[in-house]
Amino acid sequence: HAGGAYALALMLRGKQKEKSFQLFLKLAKNDITEAMHTVGTMYAEGEGCVRDETEAAKWFEKGSKRGDVLSAYSLAVYTCLGKGGIPKDLAEGFRLNSIAAASGMPFALFNVGCHYFSGHGVKQNMKEAAYWWELATEKNLPEAMLNLGKMYAQGLGLKEDREKAIFWYKKAVGEIEGDIDVEKALRELMEKMDQSKETVK
């Protein structure tokens, strides 16, 4: 029974990685969609098998074609980087990230925002970047909070609002305790605000 085999493979993954991999591989070859992403991930990380990014890409592609959003997301990463024998294609990476983002996957939402911000694979659009990063903040993604704070601080795609910038920076610091980059950004923003106040005087 596929359900029982999948549960067994999951249970063994932490203790008997090689056996777990073989079970997942058998399920994936029998067209169990959920197992395809897991096999791809295990190949990508060399978990219970020899690390093989080409095989990882193959299974991510198979899972993606069967509508698995985790596979679509992983394939988007490989496509944007040109990994696993997949030609680098930022437009296709954007399309795949958009599919995963439609399911509400936090990092896919974040990546769609990055595509719009950089103009990689899609026409640059700061308002769209801010929109997608804001959606990602609703999933408590600190990277999106930091970027949204920068957008508010610099007036990119959003009306400049330093109070909102500080709010998002502080929230990001709360989500990533001890992250030097976030704390540095917050200090720089505070200094910028102080300098502006001095200028007003």
Side-chain angles (χ1 to χ4, degrees):
H1 185 267
Y6 190 84
L8 177 61
L10 278 175
M11 186 176 70
L12 292 173
R13 192 170 178 183
K15 299 174 182 178
Q16 298 181 44
K17 295 185 184 298
E18 290 84 1
K19 191 170 183 179
S20 174
F21 171 75
Q22 290 302 326
L23 282 170
F24 277 122
L25 184 60
K26 185 177 180 181
L27 288 165
K29 285 180 176 178
N30 285 327
D31 292 332
I32 304 301
T33 306
E34 295 86 346
M36 293 176 180
H37 180 261
T38 306
V39 169
T41 301
M42 293 179 88
Y43 266 125
E45 297 174 1
E47 183 185 340
C49 60
V50 175
R51 189 168 179 268
D52 189 330
E53 289 190 338
T54 302
E55 280 295 312
K58 182 183 85 174
W59 286 106
F60 292 149
E61 195 165 11
K62 284 188 175 184
S64 179
K65 284 179 179 176
R66 293 176 68 90
D68 179 55
V69 292
L70 286 172
S71 294
Y73 172 75
S74 295
L75 185 60
V77 173
Y78 270 50
T79 303
C80 287
L81 295 174
K83 289 176 67 175
I86 295 175
K88 185 174 181 178
D89 186 337
L90 296 172
E92 176 63 7
F94 171 74
R95 186 188 74 82
L96 290 164
N97 268 315
S98 297
I99 290 170
S103 73
M105 188 181 296
F107 274 106
L109 293 169
F110 177 75
N111 284 351
V112 170
C114 291
H115 277 281
Y116 277 115
F117 183 81
S118 63
H120 289 162
V122 68
K123 187 178 179 181
Q124 189 178 49
N125 188 321
M126 294 299 174
K127 285 186 179 180
E128 283 290 323
Y131 169 76
W132 287 96
W133 283 339
E134 191 159 14
L135 290 179
T137 66
E138 293 172 9
K139 305 289 184 179
N140 294 317
L141 197 67
E143 293 87 347
M145 295 172 190
L146 175 59
N147 283 4
L148 196 60
K150 288 179 181 177
M151 299 288 270
Y152 274 118
Q154 298 173 36
L156 295 173
L158 296 164
K159 186 178 178 181
E160 187 174 328
D161 188 325
R162 292 178 182 179
E163 291 303 316
K164 285 184 178 178
I166 290 171
F167 168 81
W168 285 113
Y169 276 123
K170 284 184 174 177
K171 194 164 173 60
V173 172
E175 294 293 333
I176 322 176
E177 283 189 42
D179 190 302
I180 297 168
D181 289 338
V182 177
E183 292 174 359
K184 181 184 175 186
L186 180 56
R187 281 199 304 273
E188 287 175 354
L189 179 64
M190 293 293 194
E191 286 168 10
K192 183 181 174 185
M193 290 181 70
D194 290 339
Q195 286 167 5
S196 297
K197 287 174 184 175
E198 289 296 326
T199 305
V200 171
K201 288 178 184 176

